Amino acid sequence: MSVCALVQSWRVRIPPGGKETEAWGVDDPPWLIAINAVSLVFALVANVCLLLTFAHRIRYQLSQPIVILFWYISSFLLVSLVSVASKHLRLYPRQEYAFSQSYYYGILSSTLYFIIASFLLVNYFNSIILKRYPPAFSTLTFPQRTLMLQTISLTFYLAIGALIFSKIEGWEYVDGVYWADYTLLTIGLGSDFKLEHNLSKALLIPFAIGGITILGLVVGSVRSLVLERGKIKVERRAIEKERTKWIELLENQKREEAKNLSHPKTEVEKLRDEFHLMRKIERSANMKSKWTSLATSLTAFLILWLGGAMVFTFSERSQEWDYFDALYFSYVALLTIGYGDLYPSSNSGKPFFVVWTMIAVPALTILISDMGNTVIRMIQRATFWVGAKTILPDSPPEKDNPTRGGQEEEEEEEEAERNKLLKIIAVEIRTLTGHMTSGSPRKYSFEEWVRFLELLGIAWREGEGDDWSWLDEEGPLASSLSETEWLLEKMCRRLEGDAERLGYESLGGD
């Protein structure tokens, strides 16, 4: 973005009766260009240092002060230039002179640099001064590295494409960036920038295919990283909150039952009730996390939509847009419909449009996914229900978490009776491993859990030892693992323990 702030003079002259798109540049003072270039250098060094820190090529304690300082310097230099230009370099009359897109890119760049540097400063303060977490960025996972590389690739692809097409068509580079942005995002605005040369029309075919492919990869990575990984953390927090609440209620309930001993529950009944309570907590936390995510993403979308419309209302005053026009355009652009009847043409509107649409890509990805997990899922279930009651009575919807059928349980029980303990556990480990690769997480029935607990040697019946609780901190509900992962870990530990004990006895141990 700092490149866009440097490639064009900050002031333009508009021909009499013409538009800003027809204006030509007015030379900037050499000192403005020099300071602008220095700001770009500081920003580039900060970006490189940050990437090397993520790659663990530079120590966090060394690189972060440099990154924060350089981004603040870059931001303050641009802010100073913008302030001086707006007060002392403005040309009159205003009808004939205006600030260029590069001027507004300078404003946007300084704002983003300041925000990023401030976030990093908070991170550095919490890690070094308050020591709330380790003074280092955690090692990037494969999805994180993939998203970073894809985002960098998309940025370079857009920038290089803008350079090529602007050279062929004779546009300003910033206009090429604007054109490449709405082309790759498939918005398809009917703007003033039309391809006139056959060469550019021919190059558009591979350029659009490659760009849309990279964009699709970015969208997929955003979904897998932000949604799937973030969903697990949000859901675990919701489960822990619900679990804590229900533990307090159960303690009160136990005290009440101790006073009333007329109809005491057996240990099996208590365990069964607690198991169903665990399932209730999971369902409640799952739904709360999904609807909370939807509310958050919907709020972000509304801010983008309504806030963007407000900005376009002011930036496109030359086109006499009112707020409803800007609201209509923003909605059409966000959903990539792109009728082309309205589009930004001002030097302030086009840079904002580029940044605004780039932010909209992850925001809309998250919103659509959250709607798929809530609203669309409800509509789908309602459709299945109507179909089952009318024209499709023999096609009920598939359950989200199918459990194993009775035949498989009988076969496993017969096999368990024929084999020794080690083989039984090995078979269960193999079965659980198959569940791990089956797709959606498995939710086991109470009867299955009883069999697993007995196989693991966990005392759960009355008088067998320590009381087992589904809501305990060591239980599957409070664990960050899925039920299958939790069982696999316990099974492997049991197998290791039994194997070591049997091996020791075979060598003559007591």
Side-chain angles (χ1 to χ4, degrees), residues 240-255:
E240 182 60 26
K241 186 176 180 180
E242 288 284 316
R243 187 183 72 89
T244 304
K245 181 185 71 175
W246 277 102
I247 286 178
E248 295 177 357
L249 293 176
L250 284 177
E251 292 296 331
N252 295 331
Q253 184 178 349
K254 288 180 180 179
R255 285 192 290 268

Side-chain angles (χ1 to χ4, degrees), residues 60 64 118-128 133 136-137:
Y60 177 89
Q64 282 307 98
S118 299
F119 276 123
L120 291 176
L121 180 61
V122 172
N123 177 276
Y124 186 79
F125 182 80
N126 283 317
S127 61
I128 300 298
Y133 33 79
F137 290 125

